[in-house]
Amino acid sequence: MANVIIVGTQWGDEGKGKIVDLLTDKVSLVVRFQGGNNAGHTLVVDGDKFIVHLIPSGILHPRIKCLVGNGVVVDPEVMIMEIENLRARGVKITPANLMLSEKAHLIMPYHKALDLAREGRKGKAKIGTTGRGIGPCYEDKAARNGIRAVDLLDRKTLLAKLRTNLDEKNFVLENYYGVKPLSRARIAREAARWAEFLAPFLGNVVLEIDKAAEKGRHILFEGAQGTHLDLDHGTYPFVTSSNPVAGTVCAGAGLAPGRIDAVIGLVKAYTTRVGAGPFPTELKDKVGRHLGRRGQEFGSTTGRPRRCGWLDAVVLQESRRLNGMDYLAVTKLDVLTGLDQVRICKAYKLDGKRIGHIPADIAAFARCEPVYETLPGWKEDISEAKRIEDLPDAARRYLDRLSELAGVPLGVVSVAPDREKSIILHDPFA
Ligand code: IMP
């Protein structure tokens, strides 16, 4: 039995969907524990592309049960749409293979309205949120005003909570942001539909995890976003409103700390960032465009072009400290193919001084300049490589250096989008 956590080590979009999907063969449960439909996990099977935002990436495997933990914020509209879309493409989804925690907080229409109204007001100080209502929903959770999935089962409680919340939100929307208030009757009608559709999927995720663990089953915990978007440890305020670090699995899914067996850190072979915030290794030149084009770097949730840059080992080292990664899964190595040289940032220069960490002061982080190590590139097609020995010397050297600078051994290397196109050096469930 092994409980394995997969986390993003950068700013999200490291390719978690593919790696989770790849490692699911031996697991019984795949569990999400934070974030919401601001995530977008792309799965490619036999050339067919599936994007899931809320439902865990294991959903394509008929044997696996997918759990959405209490730490996730769930837009019921999106959950229903995802279930319906997957069903339309032949994926069977029933309460036997999908469970939503009764304790998960619901993203309500007023959360989305507030998210958009606030971003609109911020002008140049925009965070670049996905506009999915994530922040406002977590705010209500912390303020103890939230509506939870379990409330869908009790219409009277739900309507009472809706009234209190909406009175306040509409006041702010109308009087502070100058936007149209939302109709309570309409939300109440929609909520009746959510309740009917989602009620069979509601359950006790903690019990489900405990049962599987007691039976010695393998469980995979699927993180969303990335370590540097963490509300506490990320590049605040350019972060999301949850904690994508590995330890969140305890609070966000109810796994006891002693039951964590391994943490796998996902690393894209270069760096991307979507939304605003400092990004020391960003490339606005031909190489940046190469990475964006070859890597198809467009947000799977918003479609926005992602900012691209060289790999940043300072970012990876911070992730190692925070997540305690046992192995790295490197994705999109093939995107670097064709470049004459490849670079890794191994430290920053801040006001003339060399530093090896990310400063807490965001203005100081914005002044950090990367100190690079340059390595030779490779031109050979690597997409058919099955073993690490099949890779060109330069690609191997790059991987070795990445791993060395991060201080974490390699576990998986992905060489093309399809699930099969991966070199597995260490299977955490073997
Ligand atoms: P929010 O989570 O929608 O509030 O967005 C806050 C910041 O996190 C923005 O910069 C988003 O672009 C970024 N973000 C949120 N989710 C993801 C993700 O799954 N991948 C990459 N960036 C994300």
Side-chain angles (χ1 to χ4, degrees):
M1 174 300 278
N3 295 317
V4 175
I5 308 169
I6 291 217
V7 290
T9 59
Q10 295 155 310
W11 279 285
D13 308 314
E14 295 91 353
K16 289 180 278 299
K18 169 179 165 170
I19 301 296
V20 171
D21 195 44
L22 173 75
L23 293 177
T24 44
D25 272 352
K26 296 194 186 90
V27 311
S28 297
L29 300 178
V30 179
V31 188
R32 274 219 32 206
F33 55 91
Q34 47 71 226
N37 62 307
N38 45 350
H41 294 168
T42 306
L43 319 169
V44 183
V45 183
D46 298 333
D48 254 357
K49 197 163 154 182
F50 294 79
I51 299 180
V52 285
H53 298 280
L54 254 183
I55 296 183
S57 304
I59 199 68
L60 301 184
H61 295 253
R63 220 181 21 79
I64 289 171
K65 186 156 185 174
C66 289
L67 310 181
V68 178
N70 58 281
V72 178
V73 285
V74 174
D75 185 332
E77 218 39 90
V78 173
M79 182 107 194
I80 294 171
M81 202 168 66
E82 254 180 41
I83 294 173
E84 285 179 334
N85 285 346
L86 284 162
R87 279 179 175 162
R89 295 183 64 183
V91 182
K92 198 166 166 207
I93 303 186
T94 70
N97 68 340
L98 179 66
M99 181 187 278
L100 166 62
S101 167
E102 303 153 322
K103 294 180 182 170
H105 280 248
L106 299 183
I107 298 178
M108 302 298 283
Y110 46 80
H111 291 136
K112 291 181 267 191
L114 277 170
D115 216 2
L116 294 174
R118 274 195 201 140
E119 274 287 269
R121 234 338 144 81
K122 281 189 171 149
K124 276 202 170 139
K126 261 192 185 62
I127 289 169
T129 76
T130 59
R132 301 299 192 258
I134 308 294
C137 184
Y138 277 117
E139 280 169 37
D140 274 352
K141 175 178 176 173
R144 291 151 297 174
N145 289 329
I147 297 183
R148 299 187 301 166
V150 69
D151 296 326
L152 290 173
L153 304 179
D154 176 354
R155 180 98 182 137
K156 216 167 130 205
T157 307
L158 179 77
L159 293 183
K161 288 190 174 181
L162 180 60
R163 177 190 286 270
T164 320
N165 271 293
L166 203 55
D167 281 353
E168 183 195 345
K169 275 22 173 214
N170 270 346
F171 181 84
V172 174
L173 283 170
E174 226 180 335
N175 296 299
Y176 186 72
Y177 292 111
V179 299
K180 250 175 66 183
L182 303 178
S183 148
R184 180 149 49 89
R186 188 168 167 189
I187 301 177
R189 261 197 317 276
E190 286 169 355
R193 187 171 53 83
W194 304 336
E196 196 187 331
F197 193 104
L198 294 175
F201 293 99
L202 298 191
N204 187 325
V205 161
V206 177
L207 272 183
E208 197 73 15
I209 291 172
D210 190 54
K211 249 184 345 197
E214 287 297 318
K215 284 186 191 154
R217 303 266 154 82
H218 296 316
I219 310 177
L220 193 60
F221 294 87
E222 175 183 17
Q225 288 84 45
T227 299
H228 297 278
L229 287 173
D230 187 279
L231 181 60
D232 287 85
H233 299 288
T235 46
Y236 194 89
F238 300 99
V239 292
T240 190
S241 297
S242 69
N243 293 99
V245 292
T248 302
V249 96
C250 303
L255 183 77
R259 279 189 151 161
I260 300 172
D261 295 300
V263 178
I264 298 179
L266 265 284
V267 186
K268 197 182 285 194
Y270 47 98
T271 313
T272 60
R273 188 163 194 176
V274 59
F279 178 0
T281 64
E282 183 170 13
L283 295 166
K284 292 185 172 156
D285 60 0
K286 187 163 105 217
V287 178
R289 287 192 292 278
H290 167 104
L291 299 175
R293 194 178 54 247
R294 277 203 60 149
Q296 297 182 32
E297 296 296 352
F298 295 93
S300 44
T301 297
T302 57
R304 289 179 289 182
R306 296 179 185 136
R307 299 154 66 195
C308 299
W310 294 120
L311 187 77
D312 188 337
V314 182
V315 158
L316 301 185
Q317 284 159 7
E318 186 83 0
S319 286
R320 179 185 55 74
R321 285 176 214 120
L322 293 166
N323 298 302
M325 284 113 57
D326 297 279
Y327 293 97
L328 294 177
V330 180
T331 60
K332 292 190 153 184
L333 184 66
D334 53 308
V335 173
L336 295 177
T337 302
L339 296 173
D340 295 325
Q341 290 181 326
V342 281
R343 302 179 109 184
I344 303 179
C345 165
K346 50 183 191 177
Y348 300 140
K349 266 243 164 94
L350 172 62
D351 304 333
K353 261 210 200 121
R354 190 178 163 121
I355 58 166
H357 67 277
I358 300 177
D361 174 8
I362 200 74
F365 186 40
R367 292 198 305 279
C368 283
E369 290 166 33
V371 177
Y372 284 120
E373 177 169 318
T374 303
L375 295 138
W378 60 93
K379 306 275 177 184
E380 301 91 328
D381 174 21
I382 60 167
S383 63
E384 296 304 324
K386 304 243 177 320
R387 299 165 313 150
I388 204 86
E389 297 78 26
D390 299 337
L391 292 173
D393 285 348
R396 287 184 65 179
R397 205 160 137 203
Y398 182 73
L399 286 172
D400 286 345
R401 197 64 189 125
L402 179 163
S403 162
E404 196 175 9
L405 285 169
V408 187
L410 297 172
V412 180
V413 179
S414 162
V415 291
D418 213 83
R419 175 157 82 190
E420 313 309 325
K421 306 273 186 183
S422 308
I423 299 169
I424 301 187
L425 295 152
H426 179 85
D427 177 352
F429 299 111

